[in-house]
Amino acid sequence: MNIELFRIINDAGKEFEVLNPVMVFIANNAIYLLAAAVLVYLFSRKPGNRLMVVSGLAALILAEIAGKIAGMFYSNHQPFATLADVNQLIEMEVNNSFPSDHTIIFFTMSVTFWLYKRKHTYLWILLAVIVGFSRIWAGVHYPADIAVGAMLGSAFAYLGYVLIAKVKYVNKNNLAGKENVKNL
């Protein structure tokens, strides 16, 4: 099923060649848009943005570690290295493509943005889905690589959101307790 779904998506690049440059651009360069957004959020003065970025980056580190561990238990080379007649649009070295690092990064940060902001940040999740799709279209990942990357990124984004919120709550209570002691 993984190979069949890969073929359906990747072969679309042969039929709709006009979309190939767009898919390559998204697959390779959308990561810079995400990095720029992280920097804008980090240096903005809006309440909660720094906390959101710290939560997302902490979650990202954990998600990437989990992805490397998952890759130790299941390994496969990119589709262009193992299958015949792949529409390979991106040149890269052959290595373990499971799970997709691009997808882990995008889903971790996009879901973090959504958890903290909600308003209009679903567009980041849509972009994450498009990035994953473009990586299959370009012949560098299987759908399972993308699906597991999306699950890891989303799960760790949620974990980071919950844990950072608890740390913030504990710190807020500690500060309130210290202020009460000073008032005595």
Side-chain angles (χ1 to χ4, degrees):
M1 184 173 155
N2 194 29
I3 293 173
E4 291 172 21
L5 187 54
F6 168 79
R7 289 285 186 199
I8 291 168
I9 296 168
N10 184 255
D11 287 348
K14 296 174 187 173
E15 188 174 338
F16 304 103
E17 289 182 17
V18 69
L19 295 177
N20 288 347
V22 173
M23 291 298 186
V24 169
F25 182 81
I26 292 168
N28 281 335
N29 299 309
I31 197 90
Y32 300 116
L33 176 64
L34 181 64
V38 168
L39 289 173
V40 167
Y41 280 132
L42 182 63
F43 294 112
S44 73
R45 298 201 183 267
K46 291 186 180 176
N49 280 355
R50 286 192 181 129
L51 182 67
M52 176 182 67
V53 170
V54 168
S55 174
L57 293 177
L60 178 58
I61 290 168
L62 295 174
E64 279 293 326
I65 291 169
K68 296 303 178 207
I69 292 169
M72 293 166 66
F73 288 100
Y74 180 80
S75 179
N76 61 284
H77 294 300
Q78 289 89 351
F80 67 81
T82 58
L83 300 175
D85 198 33
V86 169
N87 187 29
Q88 181 186 358
L89 303 176
I90 299 173
E91 291 295 322
M92 61 186 307
E93 292 182 25
V94 176
N95 58 23
N96 184 9
S97 71
F98 181 85
S100 166
D101 288 327
H102 272 76
T103 308
I104 289 173
I105 293 167
F106 257 93
F107 271 88
T108 302
M109 296 311 296
S110 297
V111 170
T112 298
F113 293 166
W114 179 77
L115 288 167
Y116 278 88
K117 297 287 185 190
R118 304 291 170 142
K119 188 177 182 181
H120 304 297
T121 54
Y122 62 87
L123 294 173
W124 281 107
I125 295 173
L126 178 61
L127 181 59
V129 170
I130 293 169
V131 167
F133 185 82
S134 72
R135 304 288 290 173
I136 300 168
W137 183 289
V140 295
H141 282 291
Y142 290 101
D145 302 340
I146 302 302
V148 171
M151 286 187 279
L152 285 172
S154 298
F156 279 95
Y158 180 74
L159 181 66
Y161 175 73
V162 169
L163 292 178
I164 293 293
K166 285 185 180 184
V167 168
K168 182 180 173 186
Y169 176 75
V170 168
N171 286 339
K172 189 182 284 185
N173 284 343
N174 285 342
L175 290 174
K178 288 179 184 175
E179 288 174 10
N180 290 336
V181 170
K182 288 180 186 177
N183 292 333
L184 292 176

